[in-house]
Amino acid sequence: MDALPPVGRFLGQEHHFVLRVYFEDTDLTGVVYHANYLRFMERARSDMLLAAGIDQRQVQEAGVGAYAISNLAIRYRAPARLGDELTVVSRLVRLRAASVDIHQRVMRHNDILTEADVEAAFVAPNGRPRRQPASWAGAFEPLIWKGKE
């Protein structure tokens, strides 16, 4: 069986992840439930790492560690609705020894619906911060956002 291609892709230094809003994502009014934006962003971040050549599962299963969200600031601007096609645009904005900062926007066409600043800390299996693998930092370096807002 052939491997499935990643859903998202990098366009320059931004990763674009497309999704559709399904009934299960909404409340009774057909509007996306607020917590589901976090799910959309998590999927986009995981796909972005995969597209950058980072195998989170292999490192986690080897007992090295994994990312944990250590800080999150989110702003809701406008609702997404049942059937909408959305794009989660992710940018790596800062790289440190044991963490990475990512800015994410959930877009409908050119409209920003939700945006968040996320800090993902690399932690050892015991939950303590540790340096992320050097190969990961190397993969991130060329992807750090250098464009203009």
Side-chain angles (χ1 to χ4, degrees):
M1 180 176 198
D2 292 332
L4 294 173
V7 175
R9 64 186 172 118
F10 278 98
L11 297 174
Q13 293 174 310
E14 291 184 320
H15 183 265
H16 291 240
F17 180 86
V18 177
L19 61 100
R20 182 171 312 284
V21 175
Y22 294 105
F23 187 77
E24 68 184 11
D25 301 319
T26 65
D27 61 18
L28 291 175
T29 66
V31 171
V32 171
Y33 180 67
H34 73 278
N36 286 332
Y37 291 96
L38 296 174
R39 296 166 78 112
F40 300 159
M41 291 178 188
E42 176 66 31
R43 291 177 196 154
R45 282 192 309 275
S46 293
D47 196 72
M48 178 184 66
L49 294 175
L50 184 62
I54 293 171
D55 187 345
Q56 295 185 93
R57 182 176 175 175
Q58 182 238 353
V59 170
Q60 188 268 336
E61 288 177 351
V64 176
Y67 279 124
I69 301 305
S70 58
N71 196 11
L72 171 74
I74 191 166
R75 181 175 179 212
Y76 300 97
R77 294 179 170 213
R81 300 184 187 287
L82 179 65
D84 282 352
E85 185 176 292
L86 306 177
T87 303
V88 181
V89 180
S90 304
R91 297 176 178 164
L92 296 163
V93 294
R94 186 172 173 201
L95 177 65
R96 291 182 302 285
S99 65
V100 63
D101 293 344
I102 303 164
H103 180 79
Q104 295 185 281
R105 302 183 316 270
V106 178
M107 314 272 301
R108 182 179 49 230
H109 307 291
N110 292 322
D111 297 326
I112 299 173
L113 304 182
T114 304
E115 61 185 326
D117 291 305
V118 181
E119 180 180 6
F122 193 76
V123 296
N126 65 5
R128 299 186 63 92
R130 84 180 306 170
R131 286 186 174 274
Q132 53 198 323
S135 62
W136 291 18
F140 286 150
E141 278 298 328
L143 300 173
I144 300 296
W145 180 252
K146 294 175 183 74
K148 295 181 181 178
E149 285 296 319

